[in-house]
Amino acid sequence: MMRSIRQILWLASLGLLALPLAARAGAETGFYAGGSIGQSTIEADVDVGSFDDDDTAWKLFGGWNFGWLPFLDVGIEGSYRDFGEPSDGFLGQNLSIEAPSWDLFGYAGLKFGPFGVFGKLGNSWWDADAKLKSDLGNVSDNDSGNDPAWGVGARFQVWSLQFRAEYEEFDIGDTDDVSMWSLGAAWTF
């Protein structure tokens, strides 16, 4: 009986010693910067048909995590992203779209030790170049604007290094879907 009480006390002591390490594993606050790579999707109805293609995309991001509560992430994040150059061919023509953007998000997340989930809501300022190549000649067009954007993700953080997986959606007018899946890493300074 006395031996099992000692074992319980010993295990409880180890658990108490591990608490500061677990709390520290996801408690980085302040300025952070990082990058992600993934896949973008652009779907739209255009004058010559429908456009639907994916391409490799990347982004650079930075932000500030305020860290007001031990279990809650609240902050702001800005990013520059390149959706790649998705292209779709139909009727002997090839349409490609380049659409880099600057984004600004507010985000909130829950931390469970080194793991966490987050959501973000903001705005995207984009500049799209469309190029139509065909046997009859080439045509290009440019459009720009700003539209709402949102995202969700999960992260794993150990001290200052964070790994994240994200899905982001951009509500750009005259498109059916502009989105990006990505994996990335960030460092808190």
Side-chain angles (χ1 to χ4, degrees):
M1 176 77 167
M2 193 63 152
R3 183 176 177 187
S4 61
I5 291 175
R6 276 189 247 162
Q7 288 176 339
I8 291 172
L9 289 174
W10 185 77
L11 289 173
S13 299
L14 282 178
L16 288 174
L17 289 174
L19 281 176
L21 180 59
R24 176 77 176 131
E28 290 299 325
T29 61
F31 175 73
Y32 64 90
S36 295
I37 188 164
Q39 184 172 11
S40 66
T41 298
I42 298 179
E43 295 177 12
D45 289 323
V46 293
D47 292 339
V48 293
S50 64
F51 181 89
D52 181 0
D53 195 37
D54 306 323
D55 199 11
T56 302
W58 59 270
K59 71 176 181 172
L60 298 175
F61 59 89
W64 189 271
N65 182 1
F66 295 106
W68 290 324
L69 297 171
F71 60 89
L72 184 66
D73 283 327
V74 175
I76 57 172
E77 182 174 296
S79 59
Y80 173 81
R81 89 183 55 242
D82 185 332
F83 287 101
E85 190 173 355
S87 62
D88 199 1
F90 43 87
L91 299 175
Q93 303 175 43
N94 184 38
L95 177 64
S96 64
I97 298 176
E98 273 186 85
S101 71
W102 291 93
D103 316 306
L104 184 62
F105 293 100
Y107 76 86
L110 295 173
K111 294 190 272 189
F112 309 101
F115 298 98
V117 293
F118 60 90
K120 55 189 188 177
L121 183 62
N123 204 58
S124 178
W125 290 264
W126 52 272
D127 183 25
D129 289 318
K131 299 173 192 153
L132 179 64
K133 297 177 184 175
S134 72
D135 297 336
L136 301 174
N138 299 334
V139 178
S140 63
D141 193 17
N142 181 284
D143 194 12
S144 60
N146 66 80
D147 290 290
W150 61 271
V152 293
R155 63 146 184 91
F156 176 77
Q157 184 164 339
V158 178
W159 290 282
S160 295
L161 181 61
Q162 179 186 108
F163 299 98
R164 56 164 64 178
E166 292 181 80
Y167 173 78
E168 296 164 295
E169 184 82 31
F170 302 85
D171 189 19
I172 296 175
D174 298 330
T175 64
D176 299 324
D177 179 30
V178 177
S179 59
M180 180 176 169
W181 287 96
S182 64
L183 298 173
W187 184 264
T188 303
F189 296 91

